[in-house]
Amino acid sequence: MTKVIEADRGFKVWWHLTRPHTLTASFVPVFLGTAIALAIEKETIHFGLFFAMLIASMLIQAATNMFNEYYDYKLGLDNEHSVGIGGTIVRHGVQPKTIMLIALSFYALAMLLGIYICASTSWWLAAVGLVCMLIGFLYTGGPYPIAYSPFGELVSGAVMGMGIVLIAFYIQTLTVTLDAVLLSVPSMILVGAIMLSNNIRDIVGDTEGGRKTLAILVGRDRAISVLSGFFIVSYLWVIALVAIDGITFWALIIFLSVPKPLRAIQIFRDKKEAKEVMPAMKFTAQTNTFFGFLLAIGLLVNYFFY
């Protein structure tokens, strides 16, 4: 019985290491990009490519989380008192080299899936995929980590938001259209919002650790205002696409997700301690998940029923 409990704890530690709550940031852009290809371009979906892209994206996301775990520990930013979803090294005693090995193994698996995707579509995607993987490593690795700079939100949004949507769209259509780019913009903004919410929470520790994040540069109150702006622009963007670009009015079901960003901003404004604002981060991540999923569903409803 004791061995079963220990094995269960071991599984939870390794599962925790992947930061599963963040993996929706990989799933939703792939789903959205594929839905755009089906609903806007009327393509027949290649499910083999869809699942290969989905799994590769999640592997890269999980590996990026592990690089973050490794380098936060190496730079002394993680300790037993740190608040957040990381801390597997300091709380559970996992060896740093083990985490790095797993991360690199995930990258290797993602590369194998990438070879299949490229062989089925275009080898130009190999260069795009390698750049994305390099950015995933450099986000917290290397001499000048992106996450510790004011550009973390921009880079993560461009790669994990817009980039994944457009790659998922491209492997189904072998092209990139203006509609696909326009529909990927909210995903870019909301992935950036996840990073910003994380930096708002960690503003004290990051300042002490020498980081220069956007939240630190503009200050906590302005950072919350910027986060509010991210949310507002995302919803207004879809309204504009419906009104100006002729995107289906079913896209407006994204407004079912509005309670999530409202709650996130309320918590950030009412609370200041890192532990107290953890729910705000969850609501921000859920905003990205529900917004992207609902947008995809709206496009698919119009495709299948109209």
Side-chain angles (χ1 to χ4, degrees), residues 35-43 169 177 179-180 183 247 299 303:
I36 297 169
L38 178 62
I40 303 297
E41 298 301 314
K42 316 300 182 185
E43 293 289 337
F169 178 85
T177 65
D179 279 338
L183 283 164
I247 299 299
L299 295 173
Y303 173 76

Side-chain angles (χ1 to χ4, degrees), residues 63-290:
T64 300
N65 292 337
M66 293 177 191
F67 291 140
N68 179 258
E69 185 95 18
Y70 178 89
Y71 284 105
D72 276 359
Y73 172 77
K74 286 294 185 179
L75 294 173
L77 295 173
D78 264 352
N79 56 61
E80 63 274 13
H81 303 296
S82 297
V83 175
I85 57 177
T88 301
I89 296 173
V90 296
R91 296 192 186 103
H92 303 290
V94 177
Q95 293 297 312
K97 64 180 181 181
T98 301
I99 291 178
M100 178 60 74
L101 179 61
I102 295 173
L104 293 175
S105 298
F106 280 9
Y107 260 26
L109 291 173
M111 289 181 70
L112 290 176
L113 290 168
I115 291 172
Y116 163 68
I117 293 171
C118 291
S120 302
T121 57
S122 169
W123 286 102
W124 284 107
L125 279 180
V128 176
L130 288 173
V131 169
C132 290
M133 294 173 74
L134 178 62
I135 290 174
F137 173 77
L138 293 177
Y139 193 72
T140 49
Y144 304 104
I146 299 168
Y148 306 164
S149 76
F151 306 109
E153 289 79 6
L154 175 63
V155 173
S156 61
V159 175
M160 295 302 297
M162 178 179 283
I164 293 182
V165 172
L166 295 181
I167 293 173
F169 178 85
Y170 179 83
I171 64 176
Q172 301 293 340
T173 65
L174 297 182
T175 188
V176 174
T177 65
L178 178 60
D179 279 338
V181 173
L182 293 176
L183 283 164
S184 70
V185 169
S187 181
M188 176 180 69
I189 295 172
L190 292 176
V191 170
I194 296 174
M195 301 302 109
L196 180 55
S197 69
N198 181 79
N199 289 335
I200 292 173
R201 181 201 64 187
D202 293 339
I203 195 166
V204 174
D206 285 349
T207 301
E208 293 173 352
R211 290 185 174 185
K212 299 295 182 182
T213 64
L214 177 63
I216 291 172
L217 291 183
V218 303
R220 188 178 190 279
D221 290 341
R222 288 194 182 92
I224 296 172
S225 296
V226 172
L227 182 62
S228 299
F230 281 4
F231 291 140
I232 292 169
V233 170
S234 297
Y235 288 95
L236 290 180
W237 189 270
V238 175
I239 292 175
L241 290 181
V242 172
I244 300 171
D245 197 45
I247 299 299
T248 174
F249 72 92
W250 279 103
L252 297 180
I253 65 171
I254 58 166
F255 280 90
L256 292 175
S257 64
V258 162
K260 299 298 182 180
L262 291 178
R263 191 76 181 100
I265 295 300
Q266 181 184 17
I267 293 172
F268 272 128
R269 294 204 182 279
D270 292 344
K271 309 290 185 180
K272 290 190 176 181
E273 295 297 324
K275 289 184 178 180
E276 295 177 328
V277 301
M278 284 293 290
M281 292 183 58
K282 181 184 75 172
F283 287 126
T284 301
Q286 288 177 344
T287 300
N288 174 64
T289 300
F290 293 159

Side-chain angles (χ1 to χ4, degrees), residues 25-43:
S26 302
F27 164 76
V28 171
V30 174
F31 180 54
L32 177 57
T34 307
I36 297 169
L38 178 62
I40 303 297
E41 298 301 314
K42 316 300 182 185
E43 293 289 337

